[in-house]
Amino acid sequence: MKARPLLRWAGILCVFAAVSVYCIEARGSGEPKAPAAEQADIILIDDMSAYGKLELPPVAFAHDKHTDALKKAGKDCTACHKQENGKLVLKFMRVADGDAQAMKTVYHDNCIGCHAQTAAKGQKTGPQDGQCRSCHNPKAAAGKQLDMGFTNVLHFRHAESKDIASPTGDKDNCGRCHHEYDKAAKKTVWAKGKEGTCRYCHLDKPVKDAALGVEVKSFRQAAHNDCVTCHQTMEQKKQASGPVLCKGCHGAEGQKAIRANDKKALEKVGELPRMKRGQPDAAVIAVNVDKAQAASGAKVYAMRPVPFDHKAHEQANDTCRSCHHKSLDSCTKCHTVQGTKESDFVTLETAMHGMASSRSCLGCHQTKQADPKCAGCHTSADKTRKASTESCRKCHAEPVQGLPALDPAALSGMKIADEKPLAEPYLTGRKMEAQIYALDDIPDKVTIKVLADEYEPSELPHRKIVMTLLKNMKDDKLAGYFHSDMGAVCQGCHHNSPASKTPPSCASCHAKPFSPNEPGRPGLKAAYHDQCMGCHKAMKLEKPVATDCTNGCHKPRKK
Amino acid sequence: MRRRKFLALMGAAGVGLALGKTPAHAASNAHFEGYPDAKAVLFDATRCIGCRKCEEACNKVNKLPAPAKPFTDLTVLDTERRTSAKAHTVVNKYMPAGAKGPVFRKIQCNHCQEPACASACFVRAFKKNPDGSVTYDASVCVGCRYCIMACPFNVPTYEYDEPLTPRVMKCTMCHPQITAGELNMPGCVGACPKEALAYGKRSDLLKIAHARIATFPDRYVDHVYGEREMGGTNWLYLSGVPFKELGMREDLGVTSAPEMTSGALTVVPMVAALWPALLGGIWAISKSNEKTADKERMEAVKAAIDSNQAANDAKLAKFKEQAEKDKADSIEREVKKALEEAAAAAKEEEGA
């Protein structure tokens, strides 16, 4: 009799343990066990949040894992995506969204349905009915999808590919991707010579275009629809194709592979061929002048026009979008002196000189200065300082005897093709290499005795520094042109005084620290340390270590 | 009045005073915005390279004992340190997330415009000098170390290993040396090779600090630490990373410590002054209450006695009357009896 209750308790415990194990398993996360944050294919399904507060957490869905599994099972994308007009719909198992209940049913029936079928076949599969938390895991998070930029090289690879035939039979492939909507024909057609980047029309979110009477897809939708669908059909035809998996474009490894192939393609052609869009080699950027006012003989007051090397800038940038952010029209079309509604009233001056935008001339040139080779001199420079007259003249060309005059009134409304003969003589006449004084005029060593009471005098390898800076600018057109005036290189250190072969010594301006008259000017000791250490740090020069006084620049004083 | 009731009354009075708006501050009646020509030091974390030259200079200028490890040993920076009785300033190394490399921060007394240490000290050992420094007078110190508890920056330290004359130790902004003409700026400032420390008028330094932020907006956090923290300090800080990342408290608010306690503290002298009057009044009231009660009791007793007297008198009179009546009756009875006896005797005599 005594053993009976013990046995009963043991039985209850066993049942409890079994239930616990089962429940914990049900609550445990099935899918995202790997470092989810690193995986490009993990997307967060939170479509239901559009219908109000979520009952359960959104689902982290490993897209590539499913694609691979379906492929092995002999299924393709249509297992999960419906087709419309011959293209896959990016939504899951539906063409359009229904109400909340319908959406829930679409997901639950199809996800769990497929998992159940697979399980019935005795194969490994995902969570089943009742295992709610395996999908709706509160810890779930989307993976990291790197932005995929369509660079000029990648564009070239697509444009030159023999596998991508133009639908119109044209010798160029442009029409395969570039399109505009034909309202009459109710379909997209190729408008030759009017191609732009996808993002001009396909914005962050889908937009209803009242004039065309259609909804223009978001960039995300458009890119996945066109790129992935095309890659996929190519792959089905066993042709060489681009990535079809998420990680192929948005994963670090995939992007690395693309860059490697880009490099190979570039090596084959040598120099990257230019796009065939009828863009100018050279142009003149000028202020729009009121023709009537100019014709009346009134004097025109405007900045001198800027001869612009379009070809060189094409080669130096990854995409047209680097500058042409809204359309491939010329900048002055929207950015006028006063600004227009189309330009959001961003004036021509700001569009060209604004430091806040990497699309403006100065803004972009400034980002190039972040290169450690340049950063030594350029990060310490005060960015709010007014540009000097000399630097204005580097772009705004002074009239040169014998070269065509650049008259803003004449340039206003001129065809872009006609600007080339005006701009080119100015561009070819430019000095594109950094200049320094004769070697003998550059002191080899400079001895600094300021801290002679503590240390032996410091010896600055002056000429070596100058030559290193010069070497860093070799083969760099941008740096070469902007340092082509004699003494410009020297001004990295010998700042705030006119460029000269014999600049004033540091001590002539930097003397006592915290002078009430010059509160912002460092004293001599700090001026030296700031200049040397600041430059070394910005140029990522490891040696000498800034805090290692006696093994770096100073030698211990001999008693 | 019972003791408990009294205390409750006193408490209510105190809270009422503390809650009321008190324009008066602990130190004075006016809002103190710092001495106009007060000096300050501006520390710029973006310039500091962590060389410890400031620590070395501080040690030398203040004639402090040599440290266990030399100042050139930068491995010291690997552990976070705080000021001690033997080091009035220390530099700490921080590795903030997102920063390109280590960022250094120098710790020393911040020389508050309205110092918490001074307001906590009941012997006025601490003094805010017109030159901006906060200094300490060991000769009056009783060693209570309230100043150490009061400081929001954990700066003052104590000579625990000094058995006979322990002192509170902290940075003086080299006030004694500058006053004596030995130095023209604090030792640490003069030693800094990078001018990560700047010494000047507080108002000028604030302008310089804001100018640096305006000139290099992407290099600095748009905040000058110490401009308003704890009512403002005479040691100001610029940084390229959030100050929290440099171990600096961002929860201190902009009210100085004395200002925060002034409301409650103003009650203290008031209570002290009012106590005799209050206690006297309460004593008088209770005394008079007692008196009235006594009087009433006496009257009641008297009245009671009076009314009893009357009743007794009436009773007595009645008794007397009764007695007299009884007496008269008995006399009459006796007389009658005697007369009857006499009559009987006479009859007998007649009969005999």
Side-chain angles (χ1 to χ4, degrees), chain A residues 473-489:
Chain A
M473 279 184 261
K474 216 175 158 236
D475 302 328
D476 186 333
K477 276 189 193 169
L478 179 69
Y481 179 58
F482 281 97
H483 297 88
S484 60
D485 290 339
M486 202 57 98
V489 178

Side-chain angles (χ1 to χ4, degrees), chain B residues 152-166:
Chain B
F153 304 106
N154 294 336
V155 162
T157 54
Y158 201 59
E159 289 181 312
Y160 286 104
D161 52 359
E162 190 67 54
L164 296 176
T165 54

Side-chain angles (χ1 to χ4, degrees), chain A residues 472-539:
Chain A
N472 284 350
M473 279 184 261
K474 216 175 158 236
D475 302 328
D476 186 333
K477 276 189 193 169
L478 179 69
Y481 179 58
F482 281 97
H483 297 88
S484 60
D485 290 339
M486 202 57 98
V489 178
C490 311
Q491 287 190 300
C493 296
H494 299 280
H495 58 135
N496 289 342
S497 66
S500 155
K501 201 190 288 182
T502 50
S505 78
C506 306
S508 50
C509 296
H510 298 280
K512 220 165 59 177
F514 323 124
S515 156
N517 303 323
E518 284 295 340
R521 187 183 294 177
L524 188 57
K525 180 165 76 168
Y528 276 122
H529 283 125
D530 230 18
Q531 194 77 288
C532 298
M533 291 176 188
C535 189
H536 276 221
K537 190 180 167 195
M539 292 182 83

Side-chain angles (χ1 to χ4, degrees), chain B residues 44-61:
Chain B
D44 189 331
T46 67
R47 295 186 177 193
C48 182
I49 55 170
C51 65
R52 300 185 70 209
K53 291 274 179 210
C54 50
E55 288 186 38
E56 188 180 12
C58 178
N59 179 279
K60 199 173 136 195
V61 164

